[in-house]
């Protein structure tokens, strides 16, 4: 199992090439060998690749602007070849698509040509879920529409958001087995009357079950992510998660 850091966690420290390099070094020093490139500044793909290579960090996946994926697919593929990433990530169903059965199907129809082109290039378009995909439209979960009617897409399953949607992360790993090339590990805690994101194994998710399902589903990359650190140092949060995962996977 390959463990990486989702750079969205440290997005405020990746907006220039200089800051990006400093951040990658810090992440490499923690022990991470891979990253997901997400929410960084306007840094060319070659420079991103060179910086990561300098510190021995591989790029597994990105989150890329959905409009670029759909309308400039060839360029997006070329950039991912430069970075050595075979997974092209979309962070969620973009705005402009209604959260209805018809809206989901329109999203699938609009992005299928890009997904097919990406697949033909030896890569995979990956969909990252939040909680709203676990709402039922016409008696069927949005995640089921995506799984059943969008065969060329893979899934970056997010443990926190699956749980927030009232579903079981381990069950969904089993259901999507073979299509979850990347998973986001993010814990869920309850504190001061609120549901909070937490470092991996510092909250209340059933990690024993998730670990077993992750292995059984042939997940290639585990990406640690914490969207909100609630004022704590995000680098410290990433380090805590990495240390907790060492020897477990």
């Amino acid at each position: 199992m390959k463990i990486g850091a989702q750079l969205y966690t440290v997005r405020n420290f990746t907006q220039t090439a200089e800051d990006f390099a400093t951040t990658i070094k810090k992440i490499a020093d923690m022990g991470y060998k891979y990253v997901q490139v997400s929410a960084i500044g306007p840094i060319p793909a070659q420079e991103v690749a060179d910086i990561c290579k300098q510190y021995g960090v591989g790029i597994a996946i990105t989150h890329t602007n959905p409009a670029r994926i759909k309308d400039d697919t060839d360029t997006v593929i070329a950039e991912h070849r430069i970075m050595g990433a075979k997974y092209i990530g979309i962070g969620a169903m973009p705005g402009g698509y209604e959260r209805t059965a018809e809206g989901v199907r329109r999203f699938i129809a609009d992005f299928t040509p890009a997904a097919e082109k990406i697949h033909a290039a030896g890569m995979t378009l990956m969909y990252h879920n939040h909680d709203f995909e676990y709402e039922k439209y016409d008696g069927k979960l949005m995640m089921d529409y995506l799984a059943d009617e969008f065969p060329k897409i893979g899934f970056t399953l997010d443990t926190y958001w699956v749980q927030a949607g009232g579903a079981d992360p381990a069950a969904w790993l089993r259901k999507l087995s073979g299509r979850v090339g990347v998973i986001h590990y993010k814990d869920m805690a309850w504190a001061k009357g609120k549901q909070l994101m937490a470092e991996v194994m510092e909250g209340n998710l059933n990690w024993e079950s998730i670990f077993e399902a992750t292995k059984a589903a042939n997940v290639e990359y585990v990406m640690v992510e914490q969207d909100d650190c609630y004022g704590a140092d995000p680098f410290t949060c990433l380090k805590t998660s990495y240390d907790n995962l060492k020897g477990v996977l």
Side-chain angles (χ1 to χ4, degrees):
M1 197 76 62
K2 302 170 184 176
I3 303 175
Q6 215 298 41
L7 294 182
Y8 187 77
T9 309
V10 289
R11 57 196 176 276
N12 294 330
F13 304 92
T14 60
Q15 297 308 301
T16 67
E18 181 179 5
D19 285 349
F20 182 82
T22 299
T23 291
I24 294 298
K25 182 181 186 304
K26 287 182 178 180
I27 285 172
D29 288 345
M30 293 177 197
Y32 287 104
K33 301 296 183 185
Y34 301 92
V35 293
Q36 175 169 353
V37 173
S38 176
I40 70 170
I43 309 167
Q46 187 63 64
E47 192 166 5
V48 169
D50 290 345
I51 290 168
C52 288
K53 183 177 180 181
Q54 178 183 352
Y55 294 106
V57 173
I59 301 169
I61 181 173
T62 67
H63 271 170
T64 298
N65 185 306
R68 294 192 65 233
I69 292 172
K70 181 169 72 73
D71 300 327
D72 196 12
T73 314
D74 290 335
T75 301
V76 169
I77 289 170
E79 290 169 351
H80 283 70
R81 284 205 177 105
I82 289 169
M83 293 186 289
K86 69 177 181 180
Y87 295 115
I88 299 174
I90 183 167
M93 188 172 71
Y97 293 95
E98 303 84 2
R99 294 182 183 179
T100 62
E102 293 75 17
V104 176
R105 286 183 166 134
R106 188 161 61 86
F107 164 70
I108 292 170
D110 286 352
F111 279 80
T112 289
E116 290 177 343
K117 186 175 282 191
I118 288 165
H119 179 78
M123 301 175 183
T124 305
L125 179 61
M126 303 287 285
Y127 184 93
H128 170 266
N129 68 281
H130 290 82
D131 51 0
F132 69 84
E133 290 89 353
Y134 289 90
E135 183 176 351
K136 287 186 177 180
Y137 308 138
D138 295 344
K140 184 173 179 176
L141 295 175
M142 176 180 168
M143 282 292 281
D144 283 323
Y145 283 105
L146 292 169
D148 297 344
E149 300 183 24
F150 203 169
K152 285 294 191 291
I153 205 167
F155 293 90
T156 306
L157 204 70
D158 188 299
T159 55
Y160 175 95
W161 287 116
V162 175
Q163 189 76 39
D168 178 357
W172 273 88
L173 274 164
R174 291 190 290 270
K175 182 169 185 172
L176 297 173
S177 182
R179 297 180 70 179
V180 185
V182 182
I183 189 167
H184 282 178
Y185 273 8
K186 182 189 308 173
D187 212 339
M188 179 185 288
W190 184 263
K192 298 180 181 179
K194 293 182 180 180
Q195 178 179 294
L196 303 174
M197 296 175 180
E199 296 88 340
V200 177
M201 301 174 70
E202 297 293 326
N204 298 318
L205 292 189
N206 185 347
W207 285 105
E208 183 178 352
S209 176
I210 292 169
F211 293 150
E212 290 174 358
T214 299
K215 294 171 184 176
N218 297 313
V219 175
E220 186 174 5
Y221 293 99
V222 168
M223 289 287 157
V224 172
E225 181 181 37
Q226 195 168 334
D227 309 24
D228 195 335
C229 296
Y230 310 102
D233 180 0
F235 292 99
T236 300
C237 293
L238 284 177
K239 180 69 163 59
T240 297
S241 289
Y242 182 83
D243 289 345
N244 287 349
L245 286 169
K246 279 192 303 186
V248 175
L249 297 179

